[in-house]
Amino acid sequence: MRKTTLFILAVVLAACSHRQNVIEQDVGQNWTLTGDTLNVNLSVTVPSVVQQNLYDAGLIPHPYLGTVEEELLWISDHPWTYSTRFNVDESLLEKDVVELVFEGIDTYALVTLNGQKLFDANNQFRIWKQDVKPLLKPNDNLLVLDFPRYDSLQTALYEAHQPRLPERYAVSRKAPYQHGWDWAPKYKNVGIWKPVQLQAWSEARLENAYIVTNEASKSQAQLTLHLDVESTQSGELTAELLCQGKLLQSFPFSVVQGNQHKVFNFNINNPELWWPNEMGEQKLYVFEIKLKQHDKLLDSKKITTGIKTVQMVQEPDDKGFSFYFKVNGVPMYAKGANYVPEEMIETWINPDHTYKLLKMAQDAHFNMLRVWGGGIYPSDDFFNICDSLGILVWEDFMYAGTMYPYDEAFMENAKIEALEQVKRLASHPSLGLWCGGNEISEGYYNWGWQQSLGWSEDDDRAIKAGYDRLFETILPMVVDTYDGTRPYWPSSPSKGWGRPESLTQGDVHYWGVWWGEQPYEVYREKVGRFNSEYGYQSYPDYSTLQKIAQGEPLSIDSKVIQAHQKHARGTQLIDDFIHRYFPSEQPKNFEEYVNLSQHSQAYGMEIAIEAHRTAKPYNMGTLYWQLNDAWPVTSWSSIDYYGNPKVFHEKLKTLYAPVLLSLDKRDYQVFVTSDLLRNIDGVLTVSVFDQDDNCLYEQKVKVEMNPNQNRKYHVEGLHEFLWNTDPQSITVRLELTEGETLTAERVLTGGH
Ligand code: BMA
């Protein structure tokens, strides 16, 4: 669907969204954005952010092109006001309650309605709402959001915090990546980034309704329906649960005045389960909840969900502890990547692009994505797409790379955020687990903050106690209470990559290659139980560089190329490995050089992925850093900002295929690594060709394997043959056939 069609559809839906007793009115139109600098006075619609509005009005250049970052940084240190005048439909004012609901405000804003303060928003990731019936008039209501200077406010909050925290952004519940990252400029968005609505209702309504799977077998699934019911009075209500249009069960219950969380268990016989990609189908069920008082319908909600269980398995063994996921009781080898926000200007994220990106992931055999904790919680669209494509989501809470404040107000804010996000996402079968955040415990133990920030022992104790309270108590308690079916993992990784335990238990971010400047071959030794980050940079597609350069000449040192490289040593590290691994290549121009950087990245990632997969079941997951980009940039991604696959992404079609064939260069035996949930009964053919395609060697081996098995096969004479042959002059072809069917193939050329 085109963006405009989606938009019109959304407006129409919003305008006539009468859920019987509940009436909604969109408040997204006729807004004004004002700001002193540039005499800004713009007519805008929301959701939107200042950076987007200024660009749309032609007041600033495109934030992703050229070398404009520095010119645009003033925007987040400037006060802005969004205001609107609106009328309220009579039917709303007749209801008992009329709530004004902001699904997302980024970040600090004083919100007033008709001159009365409603609240001070201070968390990008929360819903902000209030009953405004007493303040509303039928006509000409004035709603104003005053956004203070974000940077100055944050600095003041940061400096007031004792002891000193590692990062400034720690004090603000706002997407960390917008403060600058090693792939992101410092575009701190300001605005109303999600829809605004009036929601009017009488008596009672369903604020939230979601369904989770507790247990599931072929014959029966046990599910739980969670309801948040808001009521103006005490009384008796009924929740009717319909499945695929048919009444399944009725749950009578009592309510008191206010909000209440209600939980009901029910069963589905002979369920069709939801499976990750290539493990089975992605069956989705549509449930409907009807909230009734006697026979009067008060509210209803539809829930699309799938029936699936997920467990995180950690069992002791002779090396340490296993770490893997069982989906519907079946061990899953996780193949995927880390996902970062698709845009720097967060309101530019659009579902068509998300679909294309995730479809490219699915086509490359992904079954998992980790939503990295330095970004934003993805939209419902993202999760709907993952539901339909079978991508299991490792969801970080949005905390990354710093210690956080630990006062009561911060903790309460964090708890409400977690509660809302857990409830919003719980029905999605693609949601696999919740993780506390990115590289926080790693940072605490390994990055020397104690010394660099001069913490006393007491400071250190207080900060660590705050960490424990948030990541070991509050967040897991919220997940357990309001979901109860998803595993919780406090920090990714669990141990820093310099520690031996990082390879024997938990998940590991192996950054010895790249950050530690080790060669790609080291990936072969650094195989953890679950490699949840590793990667190497390459330039994006040459056409992407041409777009950002806008006609300027391109070279390694051109300003625009440097402005789109955010890692201090990035240019050098890419160059080092091009020379190391492609010494005989002489790129004739920058375009060839760019291309070579992609071949280098692909070569390194091939070594890593092969090492991980062939170590199954010791290793049970490989998620490289990173799937995508938030703007056109040189980075670790396999797909660039404009959706161009890099050489590495194309290679994933073989590297992540359900059956991977690999040659173990230590003993020249062949690994057959199968993620198939069926037996294999086939023949492995190994053949070697010279540069003129003459077959120099061929051998066949019978292959019989169980589901989900990884086995090594000895191939008669192969070792001796290869030992005596120059790898640069041959091509090795591996093929697994079952009858007439080609189950897997791999072509290994010229040492690369
Ligand atoms: C990882 C991530 C990001 C970062 C990446 C590359 O540790 O968690 O913080 O962008 O490394 O340096």
Short mmCIF file of all heavy atoms in Angstrom, two decimals, residues 1 311 349 381 408 479 482 548 663 721:
data_model
loop_
_atom_site.label_atom_id
_atom_site.label_comp_id
_atom_site.label_asym_id
_atom_site.label_seq_id
_atom_site.Cartn_x
_atom_site.Cartn_y
_atom_site.Cartn_z
N MET A 1 0.84 -1.20 0.00
CA MET A 1 0.00 0.00 0.00
C MET A 1 0.87 1.25 0.00
O MET A 1 1.85 1.31 0.71
CB MET A 1 -0.88 -0.01 1.25
CG MET A 1 -2.28 0.42 0.94
SD MET A 1 -3.34 0.56 2.39
CE MET A 1 -3.17 -0.99 3.20
N GLN A 311 10.69 -21.00 25.44
CA GLN A 311 11.47 -21.17 26.67
C GLN A 311 12.91 -20.81 26.38
O GLN A 311 13.42 -21.10 25.28
CB GLN A 311 11.50 -22.64 27.07
CG GLN A 311 10.27 -23.19 27.70
CD GLN A 311 10.37 -24.70 27.65
OE1 GLN A 311 9.99 -25.31 26.66
NE2 GLN A 311 10.94 -25.29 28.70
N ILE A 349 9.57 6.58 9.73
CA ILE A 349 9.49 5.11 9.62
C ILE A 349 8.15 4.77 8.98
O ILE A 349 7.11 5.27 9.41
CB ILE A 349 9.59 4.43 11.00
CG1 ILE A 349 10.98 4.71 11.60
CG2 ILE A 349 9.33 2.93 10.91
CD1 ILE A 349 11.19 4.17 13.00
N ASP A 381 3.07 -2.18 13.71
CA ASP A 381 3.28 -2.63 12.33
C ASP A 381 4.47 -3.58 12.25
O ASP A 381 4.41 -4.63 11.61
CB ASP A 381 3.60 -1.45 11.40
CG ASP A 381 2.40 -0.55 11.20
OD1 ASP A 381 1.28 -1.07 11.09
OD2 ASP A 381 2.60 0.69 11.16
N GLU A 408 13.55 7.34 43.09
CA GLU A 408 12.20 6.76 43.01
C GLU A 408 11.46 7.20 41.75
O GLU A 408 10.78 6.42 41.12
CB GLU A 408 11.37 7.17 44.23
CG GLU A 408 11.65 6.33 45.46
CD GLU A 408 11.66 4.83 45.19
OE1 GLU A 408 10.70 4.32 44.59
OE2 GLU A 408 12.65 4.17 45.57
N VAL A 479 7.52 -8.19 33.55
CA VAL A 479 7.36 -9.22 32.50
C VAL A 479 6.59 -10.42 33.06
O VAL A 479 5.67 -10.95 32.44
CB VAL A 479 8.73 -9.65 31.93
CG1 VAL A 479 8.58 -10.82 30.97
CG2 VAL A 479 9.43 -8.48 31.24
N TYR A 482 2.74 -9.27 34.00
CA TYR A 482 1.81 -8.84 32.94
C TYR A 482 1.94 -9.66 31.66
O TYR A 482 1.17 -9.47 30.73
CB TYR A 482 1.96 -7.34 32.68
CG TYR A 482 1.49 -6.57 33.89
CD1 TYR A 482 2.40 -6.03 34.79
CD2 TYR A 482 0.14 -6.46 34.16
CE1 TYR A 482 1.96 -5.36 35.93
CE2 TYR A 482 -0.31 -5.80 35.29
CZ TYR A 482 0.60 -5.26 36.18
OH TYR A 482 0.16 -4.62 37.30
N ILE A 548 24.01 10.79 -1.28
CA ILE A 548 24.35 11.70 -0.18
C ILE A 548 25.36 12.76 -0.62
O ILE A 548 25.43 13.83 -0.05
CB ILE A 548 24.86 10.95 1.08
CG1 ILE A 548 26.14 10.17 0.80
CG2 ILE A 548 23.80 10.06 1.65
CD1 ILE A 548 26.76 9.56 2.04
N LEU A 663 33.33 -26.82 4.62
CA LEU A 663 34.58 -27.59 4.61
C LEU A 663 35.38 -27.15 5.83
O LEU A 663 35.68 -25.96 5.96
CB LEU A 663 35.31 -27.21 3.33
CG LEU A 663 36.53 -28.02 2.93
CD1 LEU A 663 36.16 -29.48 2.71
CD2 LEU A 663 37.11 -27.43 1.63
N PHE A 721 44.00 -34.61 -1.51
CA PHE A 721 43.90 -33.85 -2.76
C PHE A 721 44.10 -32.36 -2.51
O PHE A 721 44.89 -31.69 -3.17
CB PHE A 721 42.55 -34.11 -3.44
CG PHE A 721 42.40 -33.36 -4.72
CD1 PHE A 721 42.92 -33.90 -5.91
CD2 PHE A 721 41.82 -32.10 -4.77
CE1 PHE A 721 42.85 -33.19 -7.10
CE2 PHE A 721 41.74 -31.39 -5.95
CZ PHE A 721 42.25 -31.94 -7.13
#
